[in-house]
Amino acid sequence: MKTKTYSHAVTTRLLTIFSTLIFVFVMQNYSLGQKPTARAAVRQAASAANQPPEISYTVSMPKPTTHLLEVEMRLKYRSAPEVVELKMPVWTPGSYLIREYARHVQDFVVKDTAGKPLGWEKINKNTWRIATARSGEIVVNYRVYANELTVRTNELNDEHAFWNNAALLMFPREALSAPSTVKVIPYGNWKVATGLPKVPGEENVFRAENFDILYDSPFEVSDFNDITFTVRGKEHRFVVTGEGNYDLRAIVRDTTKIIEECYKIFGELPYENYVFIVNLRGSGGLEHLNSTALQWNRLGFKPAARYRAFLNLVAHEYFHLWNVKRIRPDALGPFDYENENYTKLLWVAEGATAYYEGLLLRRAGLVSDRELLADKARLISDLQSRPGRFQTSLEEASLDAWIKYYRQDENAINNQISYYDKGEIVNMLLDITIRTASNGTKSLDDVMRYLYSEFFKKGKNYMPADYQKAAELMAGRSLEDFFAKYVRGRDEIDYGSIFSGIGLRLNGSIPGKGRGFLGAETSEEGGRLLVRTIPAGTPAYEQGLNTGDQIIAIDGYRASAQFLQSSLAEKKPGDTVRLTVFRFDKLRDLPITLGPPINAEYTFESVENPTEDQKRLYKGYLNAELK
C-alpha cells in the first residue's frame, strides 16, 4: 500500500493541533474528575468534526400577494467544515414525479453571524456550495415562489400559505438524520397548523427529529376554521381554509367511524395526534405520518354522492398512515430526495389503499353493499375499455410511475393502466380469493396486519415477494398463478371464477348495441370540436383519424359535440360517415366506416341459487345479506 509523507512544517502544525486538542480534552476531563487519555481526545475531536450542525429555519410571509415565502436557515457547527453543500429536494414523497423545486428559489444569500457575506456557488440544479470561512454559524436566506396549489407543492396568497417542506426547505448534504426546528412568522392574524410537535415555551416553533419527518409534515397558515375531537384517546383535528357548504360536525362524526374501523384492523392508532388539513380549492390528497393534506371543491359536500366522494378521499389518505407510511415498500423510505425511488409495489401502496377506502366506508355504515359494488363495477368497466391493459402489468405500471402516470398523453389509453385503478380491482380480487380459500377465516386485513407486525414493527421494508408470501400464508395455498397473471403479467382477468366464491356474477352489457360506433373521444373547447383520445382497435384508430384533429363538419354539416352524437345514433355498423377536419391547419376529408360498439358496462348480480357457503362469505365480506 502507499503511504503519505508530509513536510516538516506540515508535521509541526499537525502536532500543534493534536497537542491543543489533547490539552482541551485534558482540561475538560480534569474538571469532571476523570482521567484523560490521548485516544479519547482524538475520538472527541473526530466526533465534533463529524457532528451535524444545529439546524433551524424561520419561514415568513410579509407580502402574501407576491407569492414569495421567505426562508432563513441557520446552521450552527461545533467544528465547521470548510465547505457546506445545501440541497433542495426534487420531489415530494407520495407523488412520484421529479418536480425540480429548485427552480422556484431566488435571492439566495449567505452570511456569518456578524453579517459578513460568505462565498457560494451553485454547482448543479439543486445544490448550493458555501465556503464557510470556518464560521461556527452560517445564516442562509432565500425566497421561494409559491403559487401552485396542489397537495405536493406550495401556495401563498392573500387567503393562506400552504407548503410542503420538501418543496421549501433545503437540507445539508449527508445530514438527513439531523433534527431541526421550524419557526413560522404568520401574516397578520393567521394561525399555524402542522403535524410537527411544538417546541415547549416557544410560539409557532416546531421540531422534527430528522428530515424524513420534516419533509413529511406540511403546513397550513391562515385564518382557518378548525375543530378538535378525540378517538381512542388520541387527539384529531380538522383544519379547513376557505368557505364552502360543508358541515364540520358531520365530517367529524363520519371520520370518527372511519378511524374506528381502521383501529379494528390494526388494534392501535400509532400517533399521538393527527391533523386533517383541508383547502377548499382544487382536488386530491397526500398522505403523511400523522397528518394529511386534502383539497376539495368548496361546494363539493352536497348532494350526498359528492359528500361520499369526499369521505372516500378522507379514508384513502388516512389509511395510508399504515399502508405506505409505516408498511413501507422496498424503496419508499428512508428516501433519496434527489433521485427517483423505484418500486414495483405502488399497486399495493396506492391500489390496496384505494380498495380499502371504499371498504372502510362500507364497514362504517356510510355506504351500502350495493353502492360499494356499483363503484367497483364502474372501475372494472373503465379498465376493460383500455387497450393498455394488454401492454402494461401492475408491476410495470408501478415502476414506470416516474415517467408515465403523471405525464399521460393521448396514447396513454393504449399503452398504460393505472396502478390505482387496476391495483384496486386486483386487491379486491385477492381479498376475495383469500376469503374463499380460507373458508372465511382470513382476509386481506390479515395480510396488512402481518406486514405491520413483521415488517414495520421490526424496522423493515417489504419486497414484492413478501406481499405474495403474506397473501399465501393467509390463503393457505400457493397464489403463484394469481400473481403471475394479474400482477406480473398482463392476462385478461377471469372475474367470474373469483367473484363466484362470494356468490356474485359480473354481467356486461354494451350500450347502444346496433348503433354505429366511431371510437374517438372528443371535447368541445371554445366552439371547436377536438379529438382527444382514440383507443386502439376502434374504427377511428384503424381508419386514420388523429388526436388533435379539429372536426369541423360531419357529412357536410357544421360539427358540434351534440351533432356528432346524434349523427352516430342514427347510423348502423357498416355505415360510412364523412368527417371534415383541420389537421395542422390543412383541410381533409376522412370517410370512416363505423363498427359495432365494443365497450361494455358492467354490473354485479347475485348468482342463481347461491350456496350457504357463498351467502356466509358474502355476509362476512360486506356485512349484508346476499340478494
Side-chain angles (χ1 to χ4, degrees):
M1 68 180 176
K2 295 181 180 179
T3 58
K4 184 177 287 188
T5 59
Y6 296 91
S7 68
H8 177 73
V10 171
T11 302
T12 301
R13 179 166 177 78
L14 287 171
L15 288 172
T16 301
I17 294 172
F18 186 74
S19 299
T20 301
L21 289 171
I22 292 176
F23 175 78
V24 171
F25 181 78
V26 167
M27 296 306 294
Q28 289 177 337
N29 280 275
Y30 271 132
S31 67
L32 297 173
Q34 298 173 345
K35 184 178 180 180
T37 66
R39 182 176 296 176
V42 173
R43 284 200 303 267
Q44 185 176 10
S47 175
N50 294 327
Q51 187 172 352
E54 294 179 17
I55 305 169
S56 63
Y57 302 90
T58 300
V59 180
S60 57
M61 52 212 75
K63 296 181 179 180
T65 56
T66 66
H67 313 297
L68 289 170
L69 287 166
E70 301 191 358
V71 179
E72 178 185 88
M73 179 182 187
R74 288 179 174 263
L75 300 100
K76 187 175 182 179
Y77 291 89
R78 286 182 60 183
S79 177
E82 292 184 358
V83 173
V84 169
E85 290 185 1
L86 298 184
K87 292 177 171 290
M88 178 71 83
V90 302
W91 71 291
T92 302
S95 182
Y96 307 100
L97 180 69
I98 299 298
R99 298 185 184 275
E100 310 294 16
Y101 295 129
R103 63 196 171 98
H104 295 305
V105 175
Q106 64 185 65
D107 305 320
F108 187 89
V109 176
V110 189
K111 298 179 180 179
D112 62 18
T113 52
K116 180 181 177 181
L118 298 176
W120 63 272
E121 63 174 331
K122 192 174 183 185
I123 61 173
N124 60 36
K125 65 179 182 179
N126 70 316
T127 307
W128 289 256
R129 178 179 288 164
I130 301 166
T132 67
R134 293 290 188 181
S135 174
E137 184 174 8
I138 62 175
V139 183
V140 181
N141 290 93
Y142 61 92
R143 298 197 287 180
V144 172
Y145 186 72
N147 196 26
E148 181 183 6
L149 182 60
T150 72
V151 292
R152 53 199 168 257
T153 53
N154 309 327
E155 182 179 71
L156 171 65
N157 55 33
D158 58 6
E159 179 183 59
H160 78 143
F162 171 81
W163 70 82
N164 283 276
N165 288 320
L168 182 68
L169 303 180
M170 298 181 184
F171 67 92
R173 187 171 70 90
E174 299 178 353
L176 286 172
S177 61
S180 61
T181 61
V182 180
K183 178 178 181 179
V184 178
I185 302 177
Y187 176 77
N189 66 341
W190 289 356
K191 300 168 288 188
V192 181
T194 182
L196 287 176
K198 289 183 177 180
V199 174
E202 301 281 349
E203 184 177 7
N204 294 329
V205 181
F206 306 87
R207 179 177 173 82
E209 293 304 314
N210 56 56
F211 276 85
D212 278 346
I213 292 176
L214 178 69
Y215 289 156
D216 192 54
S217 305
F219 277 79
E220 175 69 19
V221 185
S222 70
D223 187 20
F224 49 71
N225 187 16
D226 67 324
I227 188 171
T228 299
F229 59 106
T230 301
V231 183
R232 296 284 172 173
K234 301 295 178 72
E235 182 180 282
H236 300 73
R237 184 185 185 198
F238 265 96
V239 171
V240 184
T241 297
E243 297 179 355
N245 62 350
Y246 63 91
D247 180 341
L248 202 46
R249 295 194 178 278
I251 292 172
V252 166
R253 177 197 66 213
D254 296 333
T255 299
T256 297
K257 296 176 182 178
I258 293 168
I259 295 170
E260 288 283 1
E261 293 304 321
C262 289
Y263 179 87
K264 291 176 185 177
I265 297 174
F266 295 101
E268 64 181 16
L269 303 181
Y271 51 79
E272 290 306 312
N273 52 69
Y274 193 94
V275 183
F276 298 88
I277 297 173
V278 185
N279 273 291
L280 296 185
R281 281 189 295 119
S283 63
L286 190 63
E287 68 274 6
H288 302 285
L289 272 169
N290 70 333
S291 67
T292 183
L294 308 174
Q295 292 176 8
W296 200 249
N297 184 284
R298 67 185 186 88
L299 299 178
F301 300 88
K302 296 177 183 178
R306 298 181 76 182
Y307 176 59
R308 192 185 79 177
F310 173 74
L311 292 178
N312 269 273
L313 177 63
V314 170
H316 181 104
E317 302 305 336
Y318 183 76
F319 191 76
H320 265 316
L321 76 87
W322 286 278
N323 190 28
V324 172
K325 301 311 297 183
R326 289 172 176 83
I327 303 172
R328 300 191 307 195
D330 41 21
L332 299 186
F335 295 104
D336 178 349
Y337 293 99
E338 297 186 81
N339 299 285
E340 294 89 345
N341 291 222
Y342 291 105
T343 178
K344 295 180 179 180
L345 285 163
L346 293 183
W347 75 275
V348 180
E350 293 294 350
T353 303
Y355 170 56
Y356 267 97
E357 70 182 64
L359 205 56
L360 291 170
L361 262 63
R362 171 59 200 140
R363 292 175 181 178
L366 299 171
V367 299
S368 70
D369 60 322
R370 289 296 159 175
E371 286 174 321
L372 173 67
L373 291 174
D375 286 344
K376 299 299 183 275
R378 282 189 289 270
L379 207 61
I380 292 171
S381 299
D382 290 342
L383 175 63
Q384 294 303 115
S385 70
R386 292 186 71 89
R389 71 188 188 279
F390 298 116
Q391 298 294 324
T392 301
S393 72
L394 274 174
E395 285 196 346
E396 290 167 338
S398 299
L399 192 69
D400 280 342
W402 294 92
I403 59 173
K404 289 187 176 181
Y405 184 76
Y406 293 94
R407 290 174 171 160
Q408 296 187 39
D409 58 24
E410 67 277 1
N411 195 47
I413 194 172
N414 294 321
N415 66 9
Q416 299 177 39
I417 51 96
S418 165
Y419 52 81
Y420 280 88
D421 297 347
K422 186 176 180 181
E424 179 175 350
I425 293 167
V426 169
N427 276 286
M428 178 186 187
L429 296 170
L430 181 60
D431 191 8
I432 293 171
T433 298
I434 293 170
R435 290 171 182 271
T436 305
S438 67
N439 198 27
T441 62
K442 300 292 182 182
S443 70
L444 200 62
D445 289 3
D446 295 284
V447 174
M448 291 294 161
R449 280 191 287 266
Y450 176 87
L451 294 174
Y452 187 62
S453 63
E454 293 300 313
F455 288 88
F456 167 65
K457 293 283 189 176
K458 296 180 180 180
K460 300 186 297 183
N461 292 21
Y462 71 96
M463 307 292 286
D466 296 318
Y467 193 68
Q468 180 173 339
K469 175 187 174 183
E472 290 175 338
L473 283 173
M474 304 314 154
R477 66 174 177 85
S478 172
L479 296 176
E480 174 60 25
D481 187 59
F482 182 99
F483 279 81
K485 287 181 177 179
Y486 306 145
V487 176
R488 298 187 294 275
R490 309 165 190 169
D491 292 34
E492 189 74 288
I493 296 174
D494 182 5
Y495 296 103
S497 65
I498 297 176
F499 284 126
S500 65
I502 57 171
L504 290 177
R505 180 175 63 232
L506 189 66
N507 287 334
S509 62
I510 299 177
K513 200 170 184 179
R515 294 181 180 180
F517 176 66
L518 177 64
E521 297 180 11
T522 62
S523 64
E524 201 163 34
E525 301 174 14
R528 301 190 306 159
L529 184 61
L530 301 175
V531 178
R532 290 304 182 199
T533 302
I534 307 177
T538 62
Y541 185 91
E542 299 295 339
Q543 298 176 54
L545 193 64
N546 282 1
T547 56
D549 286 349
Q550 178 189 348
I551 303 175
I552 62 171
I554 304 163
D555 290 332
Y557 292 92
R558 185 193 301 272
S560 67
Q562 183 177 359
F563 183 58
L564 176 62
Q565 186 176 8
S566 61
S567 296
L568 295 176
E570 295 175 358
K571 295 185 180 295
K572 304 183 298 297
D575 289 350
T576 298
V577 62
R578 180 167 59 90
L579 300 181
T580 304
V581 305
F582 273 126
R583 181 180 299 169
F584 307 129
D585 297 328
K586 184 176 181 179
L587 198 63
R588 296 170 181 252
D589 272 336
L590 297 175
I592 296 180
T593 301
L594 302 175
I598 59 175
N599 294 331
E601 292 182 358
Y602 290 90
T603 57
F604 280 105
E605 294 181 2
S606 302
V607 298
E608 294 184 10
N609 303 315
T611 66
E612 291 305 313
D613 281 345
Q614 288 172 321
K615 293 178 182 178
R616 177 174 52 81
L617 289 172
Y618 184 89
K619 173 77 172 179
Y621 179 41
L622 294 177
N623 192 28
E625 301 299 329
L626 185 61
K627 299 177 183 179

